[in-house]
Amino acid sequence: MSANPKIRIFLTGVGGQGTLTATTLLAKTVLAQGLDVTSGEIHGMAQRGGVVESTVLIGCKSPKLGHGEADILVGFEPMETMRALPYLKKGGLIISSTEFMPPLSVAMGKEECPTIEDIKAAVAGCTDKVYFMASQAIGLEAGAVQAGNIAILGALCAAGELPFGPEALEEAIKVNLPAKIQAVNLKALELGVNALNT
Amino acid sequence: MANPLLTEKSGDTHLLLGNEAIVRGAIEAGIQVVSCYPGTPSSEVPDTFYRISPEGKYYFEYSVNEKVALEVASGATLAGAMSMCTMKHVGVNVAADPLMTLCYVGAPGGLVLLSADDPGCHSSQNEQDNRIYARLAGMPILEPATAQEAKDMARDGLRLSKKHGAPLLLRTTTRVNHLRGPVEFGPASDPGKAEGFKRNPSKFVPIPAFARPMHLALMERMEALKAEAEKSEYNTLSGSGDLGIVCSGISRAYVNDALENSGLTDKVTVLELGFPYPLPENKCLDFLKSVSKVLVVEELEPVVENDLRVLAQKNELSIEILGKGTLPQHGEFSVTLVENAIRATLGEPPVVECDCTLPTLPMRPPNLCAGCPHRGTYFAAKKVFGDDAVYSSDIGCYTLGILPPLQAADFLICMGSSISAGGGVAQASGQTVVAFIGDSTFFHSGLSGVANAVFNSHNILLVVLDNRTTAMTGHQPNPGVDKTVIGENDHPLDIETAVRGLGVTEIRTVNPFNQKKTLAAFEELKDMSGVRVLIAKEPCPLYTRRVYKKVAPQVAYVSETCDGRFECLDRLACPAMYKEGGKAAVNPILCNGCMLCLQVCGHIKAKKRGS
């Protein structure tokens, strides 16, 4: 690992999913490794159901990411992964959920979501470094649907693009999350790492 | 365990939100009084002060609006207390009246006004650049770009303000308020008790005879602050190239990253202005003389750019100064945008941006939550008035009523305008006007609108959407609430009594989830003239869960008999509902159990939650 790596991570999901909690946990993990970190988030009008975008930047000053600047794209919802593709640097890493949370227009039958095959095809046009996983199902298997985000972070840490591995995230969970939800999240982390390797 | 933000220790490093870092900075300075009106992106500053206030050594309040908040802080600083007042950018418009004179009167205890500006309108009705307010009022500005600076500048700004008796503007933008970064703590000061007010009318009462010398004193103060800016460690020089870059605020971060990305560091000299006003003229003049061309990188208005143009003209420098035109005067910047501006100025080709094109995806706009009582009120209003009324809206969650199918927001100006601007429509045209205002907004600036409407006999139906909290910005208390996250409200104000006290005689209070009664009340008020008020009272479901610790015992479900007409979906657009195989369905996890849909369609039934 270089002394001063520069890694830009773009995270996206749906309001209420815990995107910001996951972002903060990841930023704390980076900081605990003695690396310089800045993280940004935009919520504001994002009531439940709006898009939430956030960033974790290692070794950079700016909290914001522009198009084509992200080394890594983390999508907690597949359509949001697709929407955020322009942020990814060509050939960058993607970790994404496969489980849709349809927006209202789709739930009402007025519009259609792309299929997971459409999304995989769009992603393939940008990069071949990609891992899709059913994160909510993994979260449920670990004991709480909300823990699905930690499974995705676990996979991210195991993918080999960060200057630390899943054990750094494990440590951050133990230090930062309330005791009563640690076991579930540690389990989700383990399942997320396994999902990456299967 | 005490909150880490309140520790007296120094040396620890925490990952903090920019807004939390501001709180820590104030605590390190020895803050004594904090007032605010919440507003995104400033809200986490007062929310953090509030949450830790039971253990803190300061007085904190949520004031009813920004003008009142600044006046409270003004009184506190006159009594010798180190004070902070926080708001979003448009809040400063509300507080502008006291602000202009406060800068004459001064701040003996120190006073920092936090203005959280919002380039890009992430959660605001405009992009106004409040650095211009500082020039209008005569106040120094500090502009952080990192979490560490947010903390340090809050602390140093308060100290500087107290030292000079000068109200100071801490100007942030959304990116700074909502970034997270490591913050190393300095020692906290024990504020002790405020010195108390010392009578001195010629200094503190701006009757014209006293105001004239106060203006002179203000200008002297700004000269002294210019000397502070000249030597400030927040104004830094780096690099040694021929092209000069001047940057302030978050643009400093973009410039630094752009230079690193592009490898152009050795071609530019960068002047970062963290303390940009009053302009450190000597420092800037030396800089202008040391380079051949200057690019000013600042979001929104050409404020620093114009300062530098004036400085160059006064000193007969013929240097080329670029800024707006090369960079946009609207929205946020990005690293690539800034890098390309620097490249263009140096005659280098631009970086190639991503060429990936995507099909149009369904949008995911924010929406009224499942179980939001406003949905019931809007649904009833539209049923009674249809498209025949003009719907005057206001600032809050309920502005989302603009979305189809409810479409109950036709125009909007600012906090409190639904009543007064609605009255303007009614009086000018004779059109039927239904105005909506939330409970927090009602106390913020609705009261005077009601008084005006009654006094001037406006013909208007006002609907107070009373969801028992300030929901939009994160459930802060307002005078009407019963309970807050840290305790009871000792003096809850009753909206119905307040409206009656202002002279309204036709008032109805309903629960909007009771459609029969709500429709009847609308019908009754529709047939009357003058000022009529309907209070739609039902707590925000998110607040109910968080503060009252209550969850509705039932959820809705769609029975087998559903005939696929989808009136429920098409007319309510509740996010808990969806189409599934030709029938409507309810997601029991998202359903908040408001039972509004049961009143719209007989095929929807209630069942026990979890059954």
Side-chain angles (χ1 to χ4, degrees):
Chain A
M1 144 190 157
S2 88
N4 191 17
K6 279 191 194 308
I7 302 169
R8 297 172 163 93
I9 308 166
F10 190 89
L11 304 98
T12 181
V14 177
Q17 262 197 312
T19 303
L20 298 180
T21 310
T23 304
T24 308
L25 185 65
L26 181 60
K28 285 182 171 169
T29 310
V30 177
L31 186 66
Q33 299 304 302
L35 297 165
D36 204 10
V37 66
T38 301
S39 164
E41 56 194 58
I42 287 297
H43 36 89
M45 278 283 272
Q47 307 282 324
R48 297 172 89 206
V51 181
V52 175
E53 297 174 338
S54 55
T55 58
V56 173
L57 301 113
I58 306 175
C60 304
K61 289 253 163 62
S62 158
K64 188 175 176 228
L65 265 172
H67 284 179
E69 291 178 6
D71 300 290
I72 299 171
L73 167 59
V74 177
F76 296 107
E77 199 275 347
M79 194 170 81
E80 295 316 317
T81 303
M82 187 166 173
R83 202 192 305 277
L85 273 179
Y87 288 99
L88 189 73
K89 199 178 268 181
K90 196 110 188 148
L93 168 69
I94 295 181
I95 313 254
S96 173
S97 162
T98 51
E99 295 154 317
F100 287 91
M101 298 185 66
L104 193 62
S105 61
V106 174
M108 287 173 70
K110 296 199 185 326
E111 284 187 282
E112 278 186 27
C113 272
T115 63
I116 195 72
E117 283 71 34
D118 295 336
I119 291 172
K120 286 182 174 172
V123 163
C126 297
T127 184
D128 49 14
K129 265 194 290 185
V130 55
Y131 300 94
F132 281 101
M133 54 203 288
S135 60
Q136 290 182 41
I138 295 175
L140 282 172
E141 191 188 335
V145 66
Q146 297 90 335
N149 287 354
I150 303 301
I152 288 205
L153 289 190
L156 168 66
C157 293
E161 299 269 326
L162 296 179
F164 50 83
E167 60 289 344
L169 183 63
E170 185 182 331
E171 193 53 35
I173 289 171
K174 288 178 183 164
V175 173
N176 294 296
L177 294 189
K180 61 177 179 184
I181 60 167
Q182 277 188 17
V184 168
N185 283 294
L186 291 172
K187 182 72 186 165
L189 163 64
E190 184 193 325
L191 294 172
V193 172
N194 291 344
L196 185 86
N197 297 323
T198 51
Chain B
M1 195 184 85
N3 189 291
L5 288 171
L6 288 166
T7 182
E8 285 174 23
K9 270 196 332 188
S10 65
D12 291 355
T13 297
H14 294 269
L15 186 78
L16 295 186
L17 196 65
N19 280 343
E20 294 167 339
I22 290 169
V23 171
R24 174 61 192 178
I27 287 163
E28 288 183 12
I31 192 74
Q32 289 165 308
V33 172
V34 183
S35 61
C36 77
Y37 186 79
T40 311
S42 76
S43 303
E44 296 87 356
V45 179
D47 290 358
T48 304
F49 273 122
Y50 180 58
R51 210 179 56 241
I52 63 180
S53 61
E55 304 165 60
K57 291 176 175 166
Y58 51 85
Y59 167 77
F60 172 84
E61 72 170 50
Y62 285 107
S63 305
V64 293
N65 66 32
E66 295 86 353
K67 175 182 187 289
V68 171
L70 185 59
E71 288 160 351
V72 167
S74 300
T77 189
L78 289 177
M82 185 176 275
S83 309
M84 181 176 262
C85 184
T86 77
M87 56 194 66
K88 68 183 293 178
H89 60 323
V90 288
V92 180
N93 302 329
V94 179
D97 194 7
L99 181 63
M100 296 303 131
T101 308
L102 171 66
C103 289
Y104 276 32
V105 170
L111 186 150
V112 162
L113 170 63
L114 169 73
S115 167
D117 292 11
D118 190 17
C121 295
H122 292 288
S123 53
S124 310
Q125 63 268 46
N126 72 25
E127 289 190 298
Q128 74 185 44
D129 188 331
N130 280 3
R131 294 177 300 167
I132 293 173
Y133 263 119
R135 283 151 173 86
L136 183 60
M139 56 198 320
I141 308 181
L142 291 176
E143 272 191 279
T146 63
Q148 182 71 47
E149 282 186 351
K151 191 272 279 179
D152 291 343
M153 287 185 177
R155 176 197 61 200
D156 296 345
L158 283 162
R159 288 178 181 162
L160 195 65
S161 170
K162 187 178 171 89
K163 178 180 167 190
H164 293 271
L168 179 143
L169 187 72
L170 183 63
R171 191 252 186 177
T172 56
T173 53
T174 306
R175 290 286 161 187
V176 178
N177 295 95
H178 288 166
L179 62 72
R180 273 176 214 275
V183 177
E184 191 184 337
F185 284 14
S189 313
D190 187 338
K193 216 171 146 46
E195 291 150 30
F197 182 78
K198 293 190 187 74
R199 193 171 283 120
N200 186 349
S202 68
K203 213 168 162 216
F204 299 137
V205 186
I207 54 170
F210 294 157
R212 287 186 285 265
M214 282 182 193
H215 194 185
L216 295 176
L218 166 61
M219 292 190 300
E220 267 174 41
R221 228 166 34 223
M222 289 304 275
E223 278 303 312
L225 283 154
K226 191 185 286 180
E228 297 273 10
E230 294 282 5
K231 64 178 192 209
S232 171
E233 62 188 27
Y234 293 124
N235 296 329
T236 60
L237 267 176
S238 60
S240 59
D242 227 19
L243 171 67
I245 294 180
V246 183
C247 48
S248 64
I250 193 66
S251 303
R252 289 153 56 209
Y254 301 146
V255 166
N256 278 302
D257 282 348
L259 289 175
E260 283 223 19
N261 283 357
S262 61
L264 295 168
T265 314
D266 58 343
K267 295 195 172 167
V268 297
T269 307
V270 180
L271 173 59
E272 290 190 38
L273 294 176
F275 184 171
Y277 189 75
L279 190 75
E281 290 188 357
N282 295 335
K283 190 165 208 142
C284 291
L285 198 56
D286 289 347
F287 173 79
L288 292 177
K289 286 175 180 166
S290 74
V291 293
S292 63
K293 197 196 261 193
V294 171
L295 174 66
V296 184
V297 185
E298 58 186 326
E299 287 177 335
L300 300 179
E301 301 300 319
V303 174
V304 172
E305 179 187 341
N306 288 347
D307 280 357
L308 293 177
R309 287 182 188 282
V310 169
L311 186 66
Q313 199 273 345
K314 270 195 209 164
N315 290 280
E316 297 178 358
L317 294 181
S318 63
I319 186 166
E320 187 181 1
I321 297 174
L322 303 169
K324 297 301 156 188
T326 303
L327 285 155
Q329 195 169 342
H330 64 90
E332 287 191 290
F333 290 174
S334 70
V335 175
T336 305
L337 179 82
V338 169
E339 181 175 339
N340 280 337
I342 297 171
R343 284 174 172 275
T345 312
L346 287 167
E348 303 266 348
V351 290
V352 181
E353 288 202 45
C354 173
D355 56 354
C356 122
T357 49
L358 292 176
T360 313
L361 295 172
M363 296 300 286
R364 203 185 284 277
N367 180 21
L368 295 177
C369 300
C372 173
H374 304 334
R375 182 174 283 106
T377 311
Y378 285 141
F379 184 73
K382 291 293 274 201
K383 207 165 181 183
V384 171
F385 291 91
D387 291 332
D388 296 336
V390 178
Y391 296 101
S392 178
S393 195
D394 222 303
I395 310 272
C397 291
Y398 49 96
T399 319
L400 294 171
I402 189 174
L403 295 170
L406 297 166
Q407 290 170 300
D410 291 330
F411 68 94
L412 166 63
I413 312 289
C414 65
M415 292 284 282
S417 69
S418 61
I419 307 170
S420 19
V425 168
Q427 299 315 101
S429 67
Q431 285 170 290
T432 303
V433 173
V434 180
F436 296 100
I437 193 166
D439 48 334
S440 186
T441 313
F442 173 80
F443 288 113
H444 177 286
S445 47
L447 288 161
S448 47
V450 174
N452 184 67
V454 171
F455 169 59
N456 288 301
S457 312
H458 288 176
N459 211 0
I460 186 170
L461 170 53
L462 172 65
V463 182
V464 183
L465 298 158
D466 180 7
N467 65 359
R468 318 301 300 137
T469 182
T470 315
M472 177 76 163
T473 47
H475 301 110
Q476 293 82 3
N478 68 58
V481 310
D482 317 295
K483 204 174 156 79
T484 75
V485 280
I486 66 169
E488 306 288 318
N489 176 7
D490 294 335
H491 307 287
L493 303 191
D494 179 49
I495 293 174
E496 184 169 332
T497 310
V499 172
R500 199 175 302 283
L502 289 169
V504 180
T505 52
E506 297 303 336
I507 308 166
R508 306 286 181 275
T509 297
V510 294
N511 177 340
F513 289 141
N514 184 333
Q515 279 294 293
K516 208 172 157 192
K517 287 194 175 155
T518 306
L519 286 166
F522 267 123
E523 290 287 2
E524 205 186 346
L525 294 169
K526 183 186 182 185
D527 295 334
M528 299 175 183
S529 60
V531 183
R532 299 92 79 203
V533 173
L534 177 70
I535 302 168
K537 189 171 174 179
E538 175 66 15
C540 162
L542 304 183
Y543 188 68
T544 303
R545 208 178 305 157
R546 216 171 88 183
V547 174
Y548 300 115
K549 312 278 183 209
K550 274 191 212 153
V551 175
Q554 293 183 313
V555 291
Y557 76 97
V558 181
S559 78
E560 285 298 315
T561 57
C562 171
D563 51 12
R565 283 182 305 129
F566 300 118
E567 277 208 17
C568 52
L569 275 161
D570 292 345
R571 295 171 64 196
L572 291 178
C574 171
M577 305 189 83
Y578 59 100
K579 281 186 186 176
E580 192 176 48
K583 293 194 178 203
V586 175
N587 179 339
I589 296 169
L590 294 179
C591 177
N592 263 309
C594 74
M595 302 302 152
L596 178 63
C597 53
L598 271 71
Q599 300 167 63
V600 175
C601 177
H603 299 294
I604 306 179
K605 315 278 185 200
K607 64 176 180 183
K608 207 167 156 242
R609 189 178 285 278
S611 69

